Amino acid sequence: MSDPEYDVLVVGAGNAAFSAAHSAREQVDRVCVLEKAPAAELGGNSYYTLGSMRATYGGLDDLRPLLDELDEREAATFDLPPYTVDDFAADMLRVTRGRTDPTLMRILVEDSFPTLQWLHRHGVKFKLQSDNQVFEVNGRKKFWGGGTIATVGGGIGLIEQHLTEAKTTGIDVRVEHQMTGFLVGPAGAVEGVVCRTPAGEVVIRAKAVVLASGGFEADARLRAVHLGPGWDTAKVRGSRYNTGEGLMSALGIGAQAYGNWSGAHAVAWDINAGPYGNRVLTNKLQRHSYPFGITVNIEGRRFVDEGEHFRNYTYAKIGSAILRQTGGLAYQIFDQRGVGLLRTDYGHEGASQVVADTIGELAQKLGLDPERLERTVAEYNAAIGEGTFDPTTLDGLRTNNVEPPKSNWAQPIAEPPFVGFPVGCAITFTYGGIRIDEDARVLDQGDRPIPGLHAAGEVVGGLFYENYPGGSGLMSGAVFGRRAGATAARYARSRA
Ligand SMILES: Cc1cc2nc3c(=O)[nH]c(=O)nc-3n(C[C@H](O)[C@H](O)[C@H](O)COP(=O)(O)OP(=O)(O)OC[C@H]3O[C@@H](n4cnc5c(N)ncnc54)[C@H](O)[C@@H]3O)c2cc1C
């Protein structure tokens, strides 16, 4: 056989893929990233993100060396409590109800901070999320919910920074290469991939392959099959190209299916958004400030505990709750107290919203039954207990004797004008995937590594079940991408 064209071939061009490519390039010379999308749509879901990356730290002094943007005068007003390995692990265990794979979870948590440092050495730039992860209390800007760090320029910046590094280190990036299958040698080792390209089918050989081609969230049929009825109608929050061929090809050569195949990350999303992600607005179509108002369905009834926890720990499951309502529709309702706390995303040009001086008028403008909505608001207001509102803690300001309860931040909806935002469900990514070991080697049904095949990012299952702590997707792609690239490069060198 002729010498393979590449040492390490990475399928996909999102954050997990580039992390794998940089890591492989530290050990071997010939690394290639293969991307299905055209150049103008490169970057996968990672492009659409806010760039929020959940990582552990002891305080601002730990983070300062990584921050490319920090206003020291503003920093003097920050309250930035530590976010420890135990905190991150506890969050993963709580939101997944203890089902997260303990080995993968430990690696994610313990490698998170070193991986930030490693990404920074590879040209990724970081800042504090001092806009949407901070509330001002008594003149101090307090961070909450573990979502402290983001990339400069969000997901767009992250992909630009990855591309610059790839160019600098001589990593090939080939677009319009849709991987459709693996080349498997006589001994069962993966030796390359087959791709569909505008010029026809091509075969690319490599000593090792890293699969980082995302989940199957952009394929309506696969959503209906695995997530259940109604999911084919969900909008897609990000890339239209994550349609699962890489994942299905891996299963086809014996990879083990793993994790929460009927589960997905899905959010509240502007009702008038298009069917797929918008490359200009990216994440701004999300509607994450529901803890500071109430959310009702088309019948005008509340259906979810809007204040169950910080939104970083509930927003990924609220999309599913909305999808289960009549027509997959919901309406977020705020008074002026809530409006003052809305994320900046709500203010983008063209955001779907309705304003009215009374709840009855708001209902009419939203197409809801005015009497019913007035009753819902009155019952909710009357059920609010004693307490002090504090958006930076789980303040326990809750309702009593109303179903469902609102467990925190329950302030009356009473100060006009009232504002309503119609929302639907948009899927972010699917939780089910293939199984990897601690070195990111893909395992077969008997837990044996498939030689030559490694994986990272959303194509991997086992970390997230039913829910997800915000900022963990990019971090898991980086942590396991780094491991996958290193293991793949070692394997490639062993085959030299
Ligand atoms: C709007 C939005 C906001 C988000 N915000 C955040 C955030 O702030 N923080 C966070 O942690 N997470 C966030 N997420 C989730 C985050 O995007 C994912 O967890 C993460 O990007 C997954 O990285 P990945 O590399 O596995 O997948 P992707 O970035 O989706 O990359 C997969 C790549 O594989 C390519 N591909 C697919 N099939 C093939 C094929 N057959 N052949 C070749 N290439 C293929 C795709 O085109 C794509 O480029 C957000 C997601 C969205 C949509």
Side-chain angles (χ1 to χ4, degrees):
M1 189 188 79
S2 60
D3 193 33
E5 202 176 334
Y6 292 105
D7 297 309
V8 174
L9 197 56
V10 183
V11 183
N15 177 61
F18 280 114
S19 299
H22 303 323
S23 173
R25 185 66 189 85
E26 288 174 350
Q27 295 185 52
V28 294
D29 291 335
R30 299 172 309 159
V31 177
C32 177
V33 165
L34 286 182
E35 169 57 42
K36 172 181 174 185
E41 292 177 81
L42 187 135
N45 270 353
S46 305
Y47 177 95
Y48 294 87
T49 68
L50 191 64
S52 169
M53 285 205 186
R54 182 167 292 258
T56 62
Y57 50 84
L60 185 55
D61 286 346
D62 283 357
L63 297 175
R64 200 175 256 112
L66 303 179
L67 299 174
D68 295 90
E69 283 183 6
L70 180 68
D71 176 342
E72 286 290 353
R73 287 229 318 257
E74 192 188 16
T77 67
F78 290 156
D79 278 344
L80 185 60
Y83 187 64
T84 64
V85 163
D86 287 347
D87 293 334
F88 195 171
D91 285 337
M92 283 292 291
L93 286 166
R94 188 185 67 256
V95 302
T96 64
R97 297 182 202 267
R99 283 175 298 195
T100 181
D101 178 296
T103 306
L104 298 184
M105 186 272 277
R106 269 282 146 202
I107 293 170
L108 169 67
V109 166
E110 288 175 1
D111 278 11
S112 61
F113 185 69
T115 301
L116 276 190
Q117 294 174 308
W118 175 81
L119 281 172
H120 195 243
R121 290 198 294 277
H122 280 283
V124 176
K125 297 183 164 54
F126 295 106
K127 62 174 187 169
L128 295 179
Q129 292 206 63
S130 53
D131 42 7
N132 283 317
Q133 283 294 150
V134 165
F135 288 114
E136 202 164 322
V137 181
N138 300 329
R140 305 286 301 164
K141 291 184 175 164
K142 193 163 174 201
F143 284 82
W144 48 272
T148 303
I149 304 143
T151 50
V152 171
I156 299 176
L158 171 66
I159 293 299
E160 278 170 8
Q161 292 150 26
H162 273 314
L163 273 171
T164 302
E165 175 75 351
K167 204 170 167 190
T168 309
T169 59
I171 293 169
D172 281 357
V173 179
R174 296 200 200 174
V175 295
E176 296 188 278
H177 276 62
Q178 177 185 3
M179 177 258 188
T180 54
F182 292 105
L183 288 181
V184 179
V190 169
E191 296 181 348
V193 300
V194 182
C195 290
R196 183 178 298 149
T197 77
E201 189 172 277
V202 298
V203 170
I204 305 176
R205 293 184 178 274
K207 291 177 183 165
V209 172
V210 178
L211 190 61
S213 53
F216 58 84
E217 65 277 356
D219 186 292
R221 186 183 67 87
L222 288 178
R223 287 202 303 273
V225 168
H226 295 289
L227 306 182
W231 279 96
D232 42 347
T233 65
K235 289 187 178 168
V236 175
R237 226 180 137 204
S239 169
R240 65 184 298 171
Y241 295 99
N242 287 351
T243 46
E245 306 88 70
L247 177 52
M248 299 305 157
S249 300
L251 296 178
I253 61 163
Q256 189 182 143
Y258 195 50
N260 184 200
W261 272 75
S262 62
H265 182 303
V267 304
W269 198 240
D270 189 293
I271 195 64
N272 289 316
Y276 299 104
N278 176 314
R279 285 182 79 82
V280 177
L281 290 174
T282 62
N283 51 73
K284 293 188 183 60
L285 294 156
Q286 63 210 8
R287 298 291 175 258
H288 285 349
S289 296
Y290 53 85
F292 306 122
I294 59 168
T295 299
V296 300
N297 56 22
I298 204 164
E299 286 89 25
R301 295 174 196 272
R302 291 179 54 246
F303 58 92
V304 72
D305 179 350
E306 303 91 341
E308 179 196 327
H309 212 292
F310 289 121
R311 65 122 167 101
N312 293 357
Y313 305 116
T314 61
Y315 79 104
K317 62 179 183 174
I318 205 159
S320 314
I322 293 170
L323 191 80
R324 288 194 291 271
Q325 305 308 304
T326 308
L329 290 168
Y331 305 84
Q332 296 181 354
I333 289 165
F334 303 95
D335 77 350
Q336 286 305 300
R337 267 176 292 228
V339 166
L341 295 164
L342 294 184
R343 284 170 63 93
T344 48
D345 310 326
Y346 282 72
H348 72 81
E349 199 180 323
S352 310
Q353 63 169 304
V354 158
V355 184
D357 287 329
T358 65
I359 292 294
E361 186 193 343
L362 189 79
Q364 258 164 357
K365 287 184 170 173
L366 289 170
L368 305 178
D369 176 1
E371 267 179 43
R372 178 63 247 183
L373 187 63
E374 281 167 354
R375 195 156 9 118
T376 296
V377 171
E379 282 169 4
Y380 162 79
N381 285 347
I384 296 170
E386 295 290 311
T388 306
F389 177 79
D390 181 351
T392 67
T393 62
L394 299 175
D395 66 6
L397 180 54
R398 54 170 301 128
T399 57
N400 299 305
N401 303 321
V402 71
E403 274 302 319
K406 183 170 175 185
S407 302
N408 294 285
W409 313 299
Q411 297 200 99
I413 306 285
E415 279 186 18
F418 304 101
V419 187
F421 294 89
V423 292
C425 164
I427 186 167
T428 317
F429 65 88
T430 41
Y431 291 148
I434 48 178
R435 187 166 197 174
I436 57 169
D437 68 6
E438 58 267 36
D439 293 318
R441 297 179 299 179
V442 175
L443 300 180
D444 71 10
Q445 318 253 340
D447 292 342
R448 291 170 302 251
I450 297 177
L453 187 58
H454 315 80
E458 304 308 0
V459 75
V460 168
L463 272 169
F464 309 121
Y465 287 77
E466 188 186 330
N467 195 9
Y468 156 104
S472 306
L474 289 176
M475 187 44 81
S476 117
V479 163
F480 291 100
R482 183 184 179 197
R483 283 189 178 228
T487 309
R490 270 199 307 277
Y491 177 81
R493 287 166 63 190
S494 77
R495 291 185 65 214

